[in-house]
Amino acid sequence: LAGVRGLEMFVEAVEQDFREFQYDADQLEEIGDDQVLVLGRIFARARATGMPLYGEFGHIWTVRDGLATRVEAHRDREEALKAAGA
């Protein structure tokens, strides 16, 4: 799934499986005229078992006319940095 609608569908699915889900962005960097690199950590707690989940994330957001038009999600910082050309 791609784009903002894909992200919405992902969040809806996550809410079914997790009772807590939090993104903590600790780095925001403009990487082009219309793109922003967002790096951080994710925390979630499984709805069924209560088990915690921790990890890193990296997103590349495309913004046009002040609106997000695309989100490219990566599993970790290094993968997102590589995709961003950093």
Side-chain angles (χ1 to χ4, degrees):
L1 299 173
V4 175
R5 181 62 190 135
L7 180 62
E8 289 173 352
M9 292 173 67
F10 169 76
V11 170
E12 289 171 7
V14 164
E15 287 176 346
Q16 292 177 12
D17 292 332
F18 297 96
R19 65 174 179 225
E20 294 177 52
F21 197 85
Q22 178 178 332
Y23 281 101
D24 290 322
D26 52 38
Q27 183 177 345
L28 299 164
E29 180 182 336
E30 289 185 30
I31 56 172
D33 291 338
D34 62 352
Q35 290 190 315
V36 178
L37 174 66
V38 182
L39 303 177
R41 297 185 189 334
I42 188 173
F43 168 78
R45 186 171 305 277
R47 189 173 296 281
T49 65
M51 298 269 312
L53 168 73
Y54 301 93
E56 294 183 340
F57 74 88
H59 292 168
I60 299 172
W61 287 75
T62 301
V63 180
R64 292 198 178 96
D65 298 323
L67 299 173
T69 59
R70 185 171 190 272
V71 179
E72 183 179 319
H74 297 275
R75 295 182 189 266
D76 61 45
R77 295 168 179 256
E78 295 303 317
E79 185 179 297
L81 285 166
K82 187 175 181 179

